[in-house]
Amino acid sequence: MNSPAPAKTRPRGVASAGRPALLLAWYDRHRRRLPWRPLAGERADPYRVWLSEIMLQQTGVKTVGPYFEKFLARWPGVEALGRASLDDVLRLWAGLGYYSRARNLHACAVAVLCDHGGAFPDTEEGLRALPGIGPYTAAAIAAIAFGRRTMPVDGNIERVVSRLFAVEQPLPQAKPLIRQLAATLLGAGDEQSRAGDSAQALMDLGSSICTPKKPACALCPLNDECVARARGEQEVYPRKAPKKTGALRRGAAFVVTRGDQLLVRSRPEKGLLGGMTEVPGSDWLAAHDDKTALKQAPALKAVARWHRKAGVVTHVFTHFPLELAVYTAELPARARAPEGMRWVPVATLGDEALPNVMRKVIAHGLGK
């Protein structure tokens, strides 16, 4: 951890007024090159800003990059995405996780195309009325794409601001206060001020310098004013309330093959992993019972006995961890799929909208 900074003699109010300018000057020298970010002096594309912000929810920049490029190549604008099928969107999204984002992404594109003539609303209020766009995302798009004088607050900005002001209240209770403090880092001016650059500067600062562990305080443009640094307590902030972990759930998954084909079905549109492809399975319950789970196996006359694979497949969702026992069976060539299910070639599984948990299940069941 860096040593505490020496005490400053200049009035805090004077230094505070200069923070936005210091931040923007640093950003002009060190801004990250990202596929959705325009070059300095160029206007941001609202479609790219929106697409990246939806993908970046709960997901890091390195993971999002390739998916963003694939989506942009397939659907270069909101009009093209709005005319796509949800199945195609889910297929291209597969592996990125948090699949409600993909459904909202498609619904939002349709709404922009049908209700707004293919142009995104340019205010926070108008953006928040669209599917899948909450307060943060609306503020981010409004600031970055349209220059509105507002400050979105993501995890990086929360960390920078909580350290800069030594916010003692833990997250998530501290969020309203952090938003108020973050807004003070916007430069004075009208709607044409560099609000988007100010927001992205704080995001870059949190990503590259004000990192969760061992922040590079000596390189920070705001280090003279950072209360946490002055105390030598950078890594104490942001303070966080203890996380509540959901109870472990268990279930069974049934990997059924017919030659080189696999039995699958689509999950209900609403709910966890809505609309995604899966192999048949039981309910996921805390009070799991193997006998009860086997009663939920697909009705297949040709299966005399299910073979349980050794071990279990584990996966962690946002609110609970999961363990799945995997059962396998092989059916004759002419076996029919039960109602609501279908056979797909194993070789084309890459084209299916399979969530990561199902990819694990299938690999385990097929012995790969």
Side-chain angles (χ1 to χ4, degrees), residues 60-84:
V61 168
K62 289 184 179 179
T63 301
V64 165
Y67 282 90
F68 178 85
E69 298 283 14
K70 286 192 299 182
F71 265 74
L72 203 64
R74 180 76 175 273
W75 301 296
V78 71
E79 297 89 350
L81 184 56
R83 294 189 178 96

PDB file of all heavy atoms in Angstrom, residues 60-84:
ATOM      1  N   GLY A  60     -16.916  -7.937 -17.572  1.00  0.00           N
ATOM      2  CA  GLY A  60     -15.736  -7.108 -17.771  1.00  0.00           C
ATOM      3  C   GLY A  60     -15.470  -6.746 -19.222  1.00  0.00           C
ATOM      4  O   GLY A  60     -15.971  -7.389 -20.152  1.00  0.00           O
ATOM      5  N   VAL A  61     -14.634  -5.728 -19.404  1.00  0.00           N
ATOM      6  CA  VAL A  61     -14.326  -5.209 -20.735  1.00  0.00           C
ATOM      7  C   VAL A  61     -13.687  -6.279 -21.618  1.00  0.00           C
ATOM      8  O   VAL A  61     -14.032  -6.415 -22.800  1.00  0.00           O
ATOM      9  CB  VAL A  61     -13.396  -3.983 -20.615  1.00  0.00           C
ATOM     10  CG1 VAL A  61     -12.810  -3.597 -21.969  1.00  0.00           C
ATOM     11  CG2 VAL A  61     -14.160  -2.800 -20.025  1.00  0.00           C
ATOM     12  N   LYS A  62     -12.742  -7.055 -21.079  1.00  0.00           N
ATOM     13  CA  LYS A  62     -12.053  -8.061 -21.896  1.00  0.00           C
ATOM     14  C   LYS A  62     -13.018  -9.116 -22.427  1.00  0.00           C
ATOM     15  O   LYS A  62     -12.885  -9.582 -23.560  1.00  0.00           O
ATOM     16  CB  LYS A  62     -10.941  -8.720 -21.079  1.00  0.00           C
ATOM     17  CG  LYS A  62      -9.751  -7.817 -20.803  1.00  0.00           C
ATOM     18  CD  LYS A  62      -8.656  -8.557 -20.067  1.00  0.00           C
ATOM     19  CE  LYS A  62      -7.450  -7.654 -19.820  1.00  0.00           C
ATOM     20  NZ  LYS A  62      -6.373  -8.368 -19.083  1.00  0.00           N
ATOM     21  N   THR A  63     -13.979  -9.508 -21.614  1.00  0.00           N
ATOM     22  CA  THR A  63     -14.957 -10.510 -22.050  1.00  0.00           C
ATOM     23  C   THR A  63     -15.903  -9.926 -23.080  1.00  0.00           C
ATOM     24  O   THR A  63     -16.262 -10.587 -24.067  1.00  0.00           O
ATOM     25  CB  THR A  63     -15.757 -11.023 -20.845  1.00  0.00           C
ATOM     26  OG1 THR A  63     -14.855 -11.584 -19.891  1.00  0.00           O
ATOM     27  CG2 THR A  63     -16.776 -12.082 -21.264  1.00  0.00           C
ATOM     28  N   VAL A  64     -16.318  -8.683 -22.887  1.00  0.00           N
ATOM     29  CA  VAL A  64     -17.316  -8.062 -23.754  1.00  0.00           C
ATOM     30  C   VAL A  64     -16.772  -7.780 -25.151  1.00  0.00           C
ATOM     31  O   VAL A  64     -17.499  -7.903 -26.143  1.00  0.00           O
ATOM     32  CB  VAL A  64     -17.842  -6.761 -23.107  1.00  0.00           C
ATOM     33  CG1 VAL A  64     -18.585  -5.896 -24.125  1.00  0.00           C
ATOM     34  CG2 VAL A  64     -18.751  -7.097 -21.936  1.00  0.00           C
ATOM     35  N   GLY A  65     -15.498  -7.407 -25.261  1.00  0.00           N
ATOM     36  CA  GLY A  65     -14.931  -6.982 -26.532  1.00  0.00           C
ATOM     37  C   GLY A  65     -15.281  -7.864 -27.725  1.00  0.00           C
ATOM     38  O   GLY A  65     -15.854  -7.387 -28.726  1.00  0.00           O
ATOM     39  N   PRO A  66     -14.976  -9.167 -27.684  1.00  0.00           N
ATOM     40  CA  PRO A  66     -15.276 -10.032 -28.833  1.00  0.00           C
ATOM     41  C   PRO A  66     -16.775 -10.138 -29.128  1.00  0.00           C
ATOM     42  O   PRO A  66     -17.174 -10.204 -30.299  1.00  0.00           O
ATOM     43  CB  PRO A  66     -14.704 -11.398 -28.407  1.00  0.00           C
ATOM     44  CG  PRO A  66     -13.672 -11.070 -27.373  1.00  0.00           C
ATOM     45  CD  PRO A  66     -14.199  -9.874 -26.656  1.00  0.00           C
ATOM     46  N   TYR A  67     -17.614 -10.177 -28.097  1.00  0.00           N
ATOM     47  CA  TYR A  67     -19.066 -10.237 -28.317  1.00  0.00           C
ATOM     48  C   TYR A  67     -19.563  -8.952 -28.979  1.00  0.00           C
ATOM     49  O   TYR A  67     -20.409  -8.993 -29.876  1.00  0.00           O
ATOM     50  CB  TYR A  67     -19.793 -10.457 -26.985  1.00  0.00           C
ATOM     51  CG  TYR A  67     -19.746 -11.874 -26.494  1.00  0.00           C
ATOM     52  CD1 TYR A  67     -18.714 -12.320 -25.676  1.00  0.00           C
ATOM     53  CD2 TYR A  67     -20.732 -12.801 -26.856  1.00  0.00           C
ATOM     54  CE1 TYR A  67     -18.661 -13.625 -25.229  1.00  0.00           C
ATOM     55  CE2 TYR A  67     -20.693 -14.100 -26.407  1.00  0.00           C
ATOM     56  CZ  TYR A  67     -19.653 -14.514 -25.588  1.00  0.00           C
ATOM     57  OH  TYR A  67     -19.608 -15.817 -25.149  1.00  0.00           O
ATOM     58  N   PHE A  68     -19.047  -7.814 -28.535  1.00  0.00           N
ATOM     59  CA  PHE A  68     -19.438  -6.539 -29.131  1.00  0.00           C
ATOM     60  C   PHE A  68     -19.109  -6.527 -30.623  1.00  0.00           C
ATOM     61  O   PHE A  68     -19.929  -6.115 -31.447  1.00  0.00           O
ATOM     62  CB  PHE A  68     -18.722  -5.398 -28.415  1.00  0.00           C
ATOM     63  CG  PHE A  68     -19.021  -4.037 -28.984  1.00  0.00           C
ATOM     64  CD1 PHE A  68     -20.141  -3.335 -28.574  1.00  0.00           C
ATOM     65  CD2 PHE A  68     -18.177  -3.464 -29.929  1.00  0.00           C
ATOM     66  CE1 PHE A  68     -20.422  -2.075 -29.110  1.00  0.00           C
ATOM     67  CE2 PHE A  68     -18.448  -2.212 -30.457  1.00  0.00           C
ATOM     68  CZ  PHE A  68     -19.574  -1.524 -30.049  1.00  0.00           C
ATOM     69  N   GLU A  69     -17.910  -6.987 -30.965  1.00  0.00           N
ATOM     70  CA  GLU A  69     -17.495  -7.009 -32.372  1.00  0.00           C
ATOM     71  C   GLU A  69     -18.382  -7.934 -33.195  1.00  0.00           C
ATOM     72  O   GLU A  69     -18.746  -7.615 -34.333  1.00  0.00           O
ATOM     73  CB  GLU A  69     -16.031  -7.442 -32.471  1.00  0.00           C
ATOM     74  CG  GLU A  69     -15.041  -6.513 -31.774  1.00  0.00           C
ATOM     75  CD  GLU A  69     -14.764  -5.242 -32.572  1.00  0.00           C
ATOM     76  OE1 GLU A  69     -15.508  -4.939 -33.519  1.00  0.00           O
ATOM     77  OE2 GLU A  69     -13.791  -4.547 -32.233  1.00  0.00           O
ATOM     78  N   LYS A  70     -18.743  -9.087 -32.622  1.00  0.00           N
ATOM     79  CA  LYS A  70     -19.618 -10.031 -33.342  1.00  0.00           C
ATOM     80  C   LYS A  70     -20.999  -9.439 -33.587  1.00  0.00           C
ATOM     81  O   LYS A  70     -21.561  -9.563 -34.678  1.00  0.00           O
ATOM     82  CB  LYS A  70     -19.742 -11.353 -32.557  1.00  0.00           C
ATOM     83  CG  LYS A  70     -18.525 -12.238 -32.615  1.00  0.00           C
ATOM     84  CD  LYS A  70     -18.810 -13.640 -32.088  1.00  0.00           C
ATOM     85  CE  LYS A  70     -19.239 -13.643 -30.642  1.00  0.00           C
ATOM     86  NZ  LYS A  70     -19.466 -15.018 -30.125  1.00  0.00           N
ATOM     87  N   PHE A  71     -21.553  -8.810 -32.561  1.00  0.00           N
ATOM     88  CA  PHE A  71     -22.872  -8.185 -32.711  1.00  0.00           C
ATOM     89  C   PHE A  71     -22.832  -7.068 -33.741  1.00  0.00           C
ATOM     90  O   PHE A  71     -23.738  -6.929 -34.568  1.00  0.00           O
ATOM     91  CB  PHE A  71     -23.356  -7.642 -31.362  1.00  0.00           C
ATOM     92  CG  PHE A  71     -24.257  -8.583 -30.616  1.00  0.00           C
ATOM     93  CD1 PHE A  71     -23.733  -9.704 -29.991  1.00  0.00           C
ATOM     94  CD2 PHE A  71     -25.625  -8.355 -30.537  1.00  0.00           C
ATOM     95  CE1 PHE A  71     -24.559 -10.585 -29.296  1.00  0.00           C
ATOM     96  CE2 PHE A  71     -26.458  -9.230 -29.845  1.00  0.00           C
ATOM     97  CZ  PHE A  71     -25.925 -10.347 -29.232  1.00  0.00           C
ATOM     98  N   LEU A  72     -21.786  -6.259 -33.699  1.00  0.00           N
ATOM     99  CA  LEU A  72     -21.677  -5.133 -34.611  1.00  0.00           C
ATOM    100  C   LEU A  72     -21.529  -5.614 -36.053  1.00  0.00           C
ATOM    101  O   LEU A  72     -22.087  -5.014 -36.979  1.00  0.00           O
ATOM    102  CB  LEU A  72     -20.482  -4.262 -34.212  1.00  0.00           C
ATOM    103  CG  LEU A  72     -20.524  -2.810 -34.669  1.00  0.00           C
ATOM    104  CD1 LEU A  72     -21.694  -2.087 -34.022  1.00  0.00           C
ATOM    105  CD2 LEU A  72     -19.212  -2.108 -34.324  1.00  0.00           C
ATOM    106  N   ALA A  73     -20.788  -6.708 -36.249  1.00  0.00           N
ATOM    107  CA  ALA A  73     -20.635  -7.253 -37.591  1.00  0.00           C
ATOM    108  C   ALA A  73     -21.950  -7.819 -38.118  1.00  0.00           C
ATOM    109  O   ALA A  73     -22.269  -7.684 -39.308  1.00  0.00           O
ATOM    110  CB  ALA A  73     -19.549  -8.329 -37.590  1.00  0.00           C
ATOM    111  N   ARG A  74     -22.719  -8.432 -37.222  1.00  0.00           N
ATOM    112  CA  ARG A  74     -23.986  -9.055 -37.627  1.00  0.00           C
ATOM    113  C   ARG A  74     -25.095  -8.013 -37.769  1.00  0.00           C
ATOM    114  O   ARG A  74     -25.888  -8.046 -38.713  1.00  0.00           O
ATOM    115  CB  ARG A  74     -24.376 -10.104 -36.575  1.00  0.00           C
ATOM    116  CG  ARG A  74     -25.675 -10.852 -36.858  1.00  0.00           C
ATOM    117  CD  ARG A  74     -25.494 -11.911 -37.936  1.00  0.00           C
ATOM    118  NE  ARG A  74     -26.692 -12.703 -38.119  1.00  0.00           N
ATOM    119  CZ  ARG A  74     -26.984 -13.800 -37.401  1.00  0.00           C
ATOM    120  NH1 ARG A  74     -26.144 -14.241 -36.467  1.00  0.00           N
ATOM    121  NH2 ARG A  74     -28.085 -14.467 -37.621  1.00  0.00           N
ATOM    122  N   TRP A  75     -25.160  -7.087 -36.803  1.00  0.00           N
ATOM    123  CA  TRP A  75     -26.208  -6.059 -36.799  1.00  0.00           C
ATOM    124  C   TRP A  75     -25.542  -4.696 -36.579  1.00  0.00           C
ATOM    125  O   TRP A  75     -25.395  -4.239 -35.439  1.00  0.00           O
ATOM    126  CB  TRP A  75     -27.224  -6.340 -35.687  1.00  0.00           C
ATOM    127  CG  TRP A  75     -27.872  -7.696 -35.843  1.00  0.00           C
ATOM    128  CD1 TRP A  75     -28.671  -8.123 -36.853  1.00  0.00           C
ATOM    129  CD2 TRP A  75     -27.758  -8.816 -34.937  1.00  0.00           C
ATOM    130  NE1 TRP A  75     -29.070  -9.423 -36.646  1.00  0.00           N
ATOM    131  CE2 TRP A  75     -28.525  -9.873 -35.476  1.00  0.00           C
ATOM    132  CE3 TRP A  75     -27.090  -9.020 -33.724  1.00  0.00           C
ATOM    133  CZ2 TRP A  75     -28.640 -11.114 -34.853  1.00  0.00           C
ATOM    134  CZ3 TRP A  75     -27.202 -10.246 -33.105  1.00  0.00           C
ATOM    135  CH2 TRP A  75     -27.969 -11.279 -33.661  1.00  0.00           C
ATOM    136  N   PRO A  76     -25.146  -4.023 -37.635  1.00  0.00           N
ATOM    137  CA  PRO A  76     -24.372  -2.783 -37.502  1.00  0.00           C
ATOM    138  C   PRO A  76     -25.142  -1.594 -36.954  1.00  0.00           C
ATOM    139  O   PRO A  76     -24.537  -0.593 -36.577  1.00  0.00           O
ATOM    140  CB  PRO A  76     -23.900  -2.502 -38.931  1.00  0.00           C
ATOM    141  CG  PRO A  76     -24.862  -3.244 -39.805  1.00  0.00           C
ATOM    142  CD  PRO A  76     -25.288  -4.446 -39.034  1.00  0.00           C
ATOM    143  N   GLY A  77     -26.457  -1.680 -36.893  1.00  0.00           N
ATOM    144  CA  GLY A  77     -27.252  -0.584 -36.367  1.00  0.00           C
ATOM    145  C   GLY A  77     -28.487  -1.092 -35.666  1.00  0.00           C
ATOM    146  O   GLY A  77     -28.841  -2.274 -35.753  1.00  0.00           O
ATOM    147  N   VAL A  78     -29.190  -0.203 -34.960  1.00  0.00           N
ATOM    148  CA  VAL A  78     -30.355  -0.617 -34.189  1.00  0.00           C
ATOM    149  C   VAL A  78     -31.478  -1.104 -35.096  1.00  0.00           C
ATOM    150  O   VAL A  78     -32.265  -1.981 -34.706  1.00  0.00           O
ATOM    151  CB  VAL A  78     -30.822   0.527 -33.272  1.00  0.00           C
ATOM    152  CG1 VAL A  78     -31.446   1.667 -34.067  1.00  0.00           C
ATOM    153  CG2 VAL A  78     -31.782   0.022 -32.207  1.00  0.00           C
ATOM    154  N   GLU A  79     -31.550  -0.579 -36.310  1.00  0.00           N
ATOM    155  CA  GLU A  79     -32.594  -1.046 -37.233  1.00  0.00           C
ATOM    156  C   GLU A  79     -32.416  -2.523 -37.558  1.00  0.00           C
ATOM    157  O   GLU A  79     -33.376  -3.302 -37.536  1.00  0.00           O
ATOM    158  CB  GLU A  79     -32.576  -0.222 -38.530  1.00  0.00           C
ATOM    159  CG  GLU A  79     -32.880   1.247 -38.338  1.00  0.00           C
ATOM    160  CD  GLU A  79     -31.618   2.061 -38.059  1.00  0.00           C
ATOM    161  OE1 GLU A  79     -30.548   1.447 -37.824  1.00  0.00           O
ATOM    162  OE2 GLU A  79     -31.710   3.299 -38.076  1.00  0.00           O
ATOM    163  N   ALA A  80     -31.174  -2.915 -37.851  1.00  0.00           N
ATOM    164  CA  ALA A  80     -30.899  -4.319 -38.171  1.00  0.00           C
ATOM    165  C   ALA A  80     -31.176  -5.216 -36.979  1.00  0.00           C
ATOM    166  O   ALA A  80     -31.767  -6.298 -37.110  1.00  0.00           O
ATOM    167  CB  ALA A  80     -29.453  -4.474 -38.633  1.00  0.00           C
ATOM    168  N   LEU A  81     -30.768  -4.781 -35.797  1.00  0.00           N
ATOM    169  CA  LEU A  81     -30.995  -5.587 -34.598  1.00  0.00           C
ATOM    170  C   LEU A  81     -32.485  -5.683 -34.286  1.00  0.00           C
ATOM    171  O   LEU A  81     -32.977  -6.728 -33.845  1.00  0.00           O
ATOM    172  CB  LEU A  81     -30.237  -4.979 -33.420  1.00  0.00           C
ATOM    173  CG  LEU A  81     -30.286  -5.749 -32.100  1.00  0.00           C
ATOM    174  CD1 LEU A  81     -29.788  -7.170 -32.269  1.00  0.00           C
ATOM    175  CD2 LEU A  81     -29.459  -5.028 -31.029  1.00  0.00           C
ATOM    176  N   GLY A  82     -33.220  -4.604 -34.513  1.00  0.00           N
ATOM    177  CA  GLY A  82     -34.652  -4.614 -34.248  1.00  0.00           C
ATOM    178  C   GLY A  82     -35.419  -5.548 -35.165  1.00  0.00           C
ATOM    179  O   GLY A  82     -36.527  -5.983 -34.827  1.00  0.00           O
ATOM    180  N   ARG A  83     -34.861  -5.847 -36.323  1.00  0.00           N
ATOM    181  CA  ARG A  83     -35.526  -6.765 -37.264  1.00  0.00           C
ATOM    182  C   ARG A  83     -35.056  -8.211 -37.096  1.00  0.00           C
ATOM    183  O   ARG A  83     -35.586  -9.107 -37.743  1.00  0.00           O
ATOM    184  CB  ARG A  83     -35.267  -6.308 -38.706  1.00  0.00           C
ATOM    185  CG  ARG A  83     -35.907  -4.963 -39.046  1.00  0.00           C
ATOM    186  CD  ARG A  83     -35.814  -4.657 -40.535  1.00  0.00           C
ATOM    187  NE  ARG A  83     -36.473  -3.411 -40.855  1.00  0.00           N
ATOM    188  CZ  ARG A  83     -35.857  -2.232 -40.970  1.00  0.00           C
ATOM    189  NH1 ARG A  83     -34.537  -2.184 -40.795  1.00  0.00           N
ATOM    190  NH2 ARG A  83     -36.526  -1.143 -41.264  1.00  0.00           N
ATOM    191  N   ALA A  84     -34.069  -8.431 -36.244  1.00  0.00           N
ATOM    192  CA  ALA A  84     -33.566  -9.790 -36.014  1.00  0.00           C
ATOM    193  C   ALA A  84     -34.540 -10.576 -35.150  1.00  0.00           C
ATOM    194  O   ALA A  84     -35.398 -10.010 -34.468  1.00  0.00           O
ATOM    195  CB  ALA A  84     -32.199  -9.726 -35.332  1.00  0.00           C
TER     196      ALA A  84
END
